[in-house]
């Protein structure tokens, strides 16, 4: 009997791909025959979804799967698809059948099927394909990934648990900072257990899993790099330079691991940002190149300058999507996640119910 585990999250960018593939690898180490599927492709690089979601590609490679991409990812959940669905041009019944048929093919003879959710728990509601809907369709248990920074974050976990009802396997917290660990362990986890929500563990936050290097960010944004300085620093957040220089300096000094996004013609903001120790790079919009003095100061400080052709609002949106989507997802990321799961999560309990073919149930 194949065990099916759907990995979802309370919000986007919580590490579903790395956790899904790492769990698959840990299951393989335990002798299980593992399959994978991501019914809704959500990580797309074009509006119509012509470029395939990279998550199934990574899973196919690392789990050594012999399956076609259209089987691993039956639905391309692009903006164009959503618009068509709203107009009634997509049939939920047909999509359900398509997913079920591919799932039956992929799961045949498997001990464990890992099903990766798309976006957040509610993504796909337009065509009755939220992760809860998919779990019901595929008879899956659901592992919820959640972040934790403050007690109010528990609201999202409880809401997910109540939405999933009997399908819920439990929750796994990811990217938990050191200062939040004690409260999570001593107060939050016992509270959730008392509410009937099993807690499988809490994975510590690691910078190389939480952000993106300046070099990768430049590549994703299609930016020109003007400075001859290292681009291996990590960016986790963005600050927008749209205020006066005095207010900007106070703001920039309160941030860390940040990229400042501002107009290429705002030399005052550029100069101010270079005074803040937590600024890792400047992203200048509108295709405007800064003055030689700003470039020289940036090279002296070791801060890369990226220039993009897009306007500030478009750049902010794209940059935040890049970081939230976790562009560091690759084999090294999955290997690190596998180690974190082995050290900080109850993997055996997460995989409970899956047994290698020929083993006693």
């Amino acid at each position: 009997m194949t065990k099916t585990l759907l990995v979802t999250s309370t919000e986007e960018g919580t590490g579903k791909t790395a956790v899904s593939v790492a769990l698959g690898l840990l299951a393989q180490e335990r002798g299980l025959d593992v399959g994978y599927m991501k019914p809704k492709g959500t990580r797309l690089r074009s509006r119509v979804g012509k470029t395939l979601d990279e998550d199934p590609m990574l899973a196919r490679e690392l789990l050594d799967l012999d399956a076609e991409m259209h089987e691993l990812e039956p639905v391309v959940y692009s903006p164009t698809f959503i618009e068509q669905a709203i107009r009634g041009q997509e049939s939920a019944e047909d999509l359900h059948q398509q997913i079920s048929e591919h799932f039956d093919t992929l799961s045949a003879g498997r001990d464990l099927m890992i099903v990766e959710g798309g976006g957040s728990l509610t993504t796909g509601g337009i065509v009755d394909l939220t992760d809860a809907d998919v779990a019901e369709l595929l008879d899956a248990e659901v592992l919820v990934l959640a972040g934790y920074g403050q007690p109010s974050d528990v609201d999202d976990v409880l809401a997910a648990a109540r939405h999933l009802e009997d399908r819920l396997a439990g929750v796994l917290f990811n990217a938990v900072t050191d200062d939040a660990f004690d409260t999570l362990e001593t107060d939050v986890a016992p509270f959730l257990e008392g509410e009937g929500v099993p807690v499988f563990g809490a994975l510590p936050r690691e910078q190389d899993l939480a952000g993106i290097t300046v070099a990768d960010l430049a590549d994703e944004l299609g930016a020109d790099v003007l400075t001859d300085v290292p681009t291996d620093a990590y960016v986790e957040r963005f600050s927008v330079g749209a205020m006066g220089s005095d207010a900007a300096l106070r703001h920039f000094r309160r941030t860390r691991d940040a990229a400042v996004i501002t107009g290429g013609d705002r030399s005052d903001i550029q100069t101010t940002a270079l005074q803040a120790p937590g600024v890792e790079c400047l992203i200048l919009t509108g295709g405007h190149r800064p003055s030689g003095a700003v470039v020289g100061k940036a090279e002296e400080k070791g801060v890369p300058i990226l220039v993009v052709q897009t306007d500030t609002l478009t750049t902010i949106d794209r940059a935040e999507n890049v970081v939230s989507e976790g562009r560091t997802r690759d084999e090294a990321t999955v290997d690190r996640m596998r180690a974190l799961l082995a050290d900080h999560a109850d993997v055996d309990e997460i995989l409970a119910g899956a047994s290698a073919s020929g083993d006693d149930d």
Side-chain angles (χ1 to χ4, degrees), residues 36 46 74 78 86 99 102 110 121 134 147 188 303 305 308 313 339:
Y36 167 94
S46 67
S78 66
I86 290 173
I99 290 172
H102 287 311
R110 302 288 190 187
L121 183 64
V134 173
V188 174
V303 177
I305 295 179
V308 296
L313 289 178

Side-chain angles (χ1 to χ4, degrees), residues 303-321:
V303 177
I305 295 179
L306 316 183
V307 174
V308 296
Q309 299 300 315
T310 50
D311 61 58
T312 298
L313 289 178
T314 301
T315 303
I316 293 166
D317 184 57
R318 177 59 186 146
E320 289 182 341
N321 283 340

Side-chain angles (χ1 to χ4, degrees), residues 38 41 56 73 84 87 209 256 273 288 294:
K38 185 178 182 182
E73 183 188 271
Q84 291 172 341
R87 297 190 190 109
L209 299 181
R256 61 184 177 83
H288 300 291
V294 169

Side-chain angles (χ1 to χ4, degrees), residues 5 7-8 14-26 114 116 143 145 172-174 203 329 333-334 337-338 341 350:
L5 181 68
V7 180
T8 188
T14 51
K16 289 188 298 296
T17 299
V19 169
S20 296
V21 180
L23 279 175
L25 292 171
L26 289 167
I114 300 288
E116 182 181 343
L143 171 66
L145 298 184
L172 175 66
F173 290 97
N174 190 22
L203 311 183
R329 278 181 278 192
T333 300
V334 173
M337 181 59 73
R338 177 167 54 175
L341 286 168
I350 293 173

Side-chain angles (χ1 to χ4, degrees), residues 48-207:
V48 296
K50 289 183 178 179
T51 303
L52 290 177
D53 191 320
E54 295 179 359
D55 298 339
M57 296 180 186
L58 182 64
R60 182 172 65 175
E61 176 186 353
L62 298 186
L63 296 175
D64 194 23
L65 302 175
D66 183 16
E68 299 296 328
M69 286 302 300
H70 72 275
E71 296 175 316
L72 297 175
E73 183 188 271
V75 177
V76 179
Y77 204 73
S78 66
T80 298
F81 172 90
I82 295 170
E83 290 171 1
Q84 291 172 341
I86 290 173
R87 297 190 190 109
Q89 296 171 356
E90 297 289 347
S91 165
E93 183 178 350
D94 290 346
L95 294 170
H96 289 193
Q97 182 177 351
Q98 184 181 358
I99 290 172
S100 295
E101 289 175 353
H102 287 311
F103 177 81
D104 289 344
T105 299
L106 295 171
S107 64
R110 302 288 190 187
D111 303 313
L112 174 68
M113 274 295 293
I114 300 288
V115 178
E116 182 181 343
S120 66
L121 183 64
T122 59
T123 301
I126 292 172
V127 285
D128 296 331
L129 279 177
T130 66
D131 285 350
D133 294 327
V134 173
E136 191 68 27
L137 180 67
L138 304 181
D139 192 22
E141 299 176 25
V142 182
L143 171 66
V144 176
L145 298 184
Y148 180 78
Q150 54 191 357
S152 60
D153 292 337
V154 176
D155 286 341
D156 293 333
V157 176
L158 287 176
R162 289 164 183 162
H163 184 61
L164 293 165
E165 298 181 330
D166 292 342
R167 291 285 172 191
L168 177 71
V171 62
L172 175 66
F173 290 97
N174 190 22
V176 180
T177 59
D178 290 343
D179 56 358
F181 247 106
D182 287 345
T183 301
L184 181 57
E185 182 179 9
T186 59
D187 298 330
V188 174
F191 170 77
L192 288 173
E193 295 276 1
E195 293 291 315
V197 181
V199 178
F200 291 131
L203 311 183
R205 175 192 171 280
E206 296 206 348
Q207 187 176 54

